[in-house]
Amino acid sequence: MTPVAVEAAQRIHARSANGVFAHWRLALVILTQLFFYGVPWITINGRQAVLFDLAHQRFYLFNTLLLPQDLIFLTGLLIACAMALFLVTVAVGRIWCGFACPQTVYTEMFMALERRIEGDRSARLRLDQSGWGPNKVVRRGGKHLAWALLSLWTGLSFVGWFTPIRELVHGLPFDMGPWNTFWMLFYAAITYLHAGLLRERICQHACPYGRFQSAMLDRDTLVVTYDQARGEPRGRHRAAHAEPVAAFAGAVASPATAAATASAAVAAASAEPKLGDCIDCTMCVQVCPTGIDIRKGLQAACISCGVCIDACNSIMDKIKAPRGLIRFSPLNPDSPTRGAPWRKPRLWVYGGVITAVVTLMIAGLMTRPELRLDVQRDRGVLARMAPNGDVENLYRLQIRSATLHPQHLDIQVKVDGTPVPARLITAHNDAPPELDAAGSLSLPVTVSLPYEGAQALRGQTVPLRFEVRGTDKGTSEVLASSTFRVPH
């Protein structure tokens, strides 16, 4: 049996590119990281504006407070994001991967540090091939130190979305708490591993999105394509040098010699086989962050970042050929949706789902109650008789506030089946109970039914309803049902 040779993976050193798509990538790196690193530092009324406080089960979104009962909104958000990702993929391919995916964004940031410390692509290749010496140790060590610092700051910022970030910074380095320290180091290690060491291997082998994109793309989807009809056959263009050679000959030789030299140059250019516009410079391969050759056709590793388009366009400008040898284009040259991807029915379906989900989420947020009420019966005492003949049942009210301001509570109770009103006994009978902003209150209460009403319900278990409302203007009312038991 012949052994199979396995070639070791080669480190990809992508050349920096300059162009429209490179500028868009840079802009999205800046915007996304301003959001990620900056939002936790925004404060409103002395508190962090956006905070997912898992320990206290409260989620602050500027002036909105969400509770665990509001996780339905998280479900809606995830559905809307998934549909938006599908919509973008069907329309323009893996543009999310190339411009806004965290793996792409952090890889770009790490590569920027690498270029700053080790130099451009050729310098990095020379450094790889050189032996270990002071220069290599300093540059490699400095690069990994910069990566580690960026990873630690990223981990700290990530934890700052769940724990007040100012408390974390004040607690550095040893007073952050064990769990906060663990998650900061864990996220920092993942960032360092993915963006610094693995890079394109995540896109090629680990990311599931690249695997199932073939099920979402069709021949009318905009993808990065190479125009084979225009670019092939590849080769160096000698014809482009015929005119400069003739001009040089005329400047340095006699008229007869110049004419002969110019004629020879033009004749040589004319005798050259007809070549396509691709001069086989491999610039499109050198700038690719995943190291693929787009001239071989659409590949699973292509993340539609467009830097190969920028590189090719710059070469076309130099050889005075039209741009667009590599461009975003449908695989189907006769696509009916060319230039108008919104004509695809699937886009309208995804857009309709997104619109419906977002509309329902907005309506739900606008109509959700500001108070949450749960009622628990006292399991130890189902019912008891007071000395005066009244019947008492014991309950515990769990009240939570979904507002960011304190309020006083007005609690009412009604027992069905009797015209005699029940009486609510609490520890706050002299004053209404107060609920703190975003606070919770566990309130033991006793519902007492007078003797006259209890006689009519002897031996029965009847419905009971609690009504809780805030005394502040505009506070909504919340209802909760339970039962009231009258013994024989």
Side-chain angles (χ1 to χ4, degrees), residues 150-160 183-185 187-188 191:
L150 177 57
S151 299
L152 288 171
W153 183 249
T154 302
L156 179 70
S157 299
F158 173 76
V159 178
W183 285 112
M184 183 191 77
L185 294 178
Y187 196 81
T191 303

Side-chain angles (χ1 to χ4, degrees), residues 13-58:
H13 290 289
R15 183 190 294 271
S16 59
N18 188 31
V20 174
F21 297 107
H23 293 160
W24 272 109
R25 281 162 58 86
L26 176 61
L28 283 170
V29 168
I30 294 173
L31 289 176
T32 54
Q33 297 318 293
L34 281 177
F35 178 83
F36 176 76
Y37 293 117
V39 167
W41 292 93
I42 301 175
T43 59
I44 296 179
N45 299 325
R47 62 168 180 81
Q48 190 165 312
V50 178
L51 179 66
F52 305 114
D53 190 350
L54 298 178
H56 298 92
Q57 299 183 346
R58 297 182 182 90

Side-chain angles (χ1 to χ4, degrees), residues 126-142:
R126 289 194 301 269
L127 192 64
D128 281 350
Q129 297 169 0
S130 66
W132 285 96
N135 177 62
K136 188 170 184 177
V137 170
V138 169
R139 290 186 180 276
R140 283 287 160 86

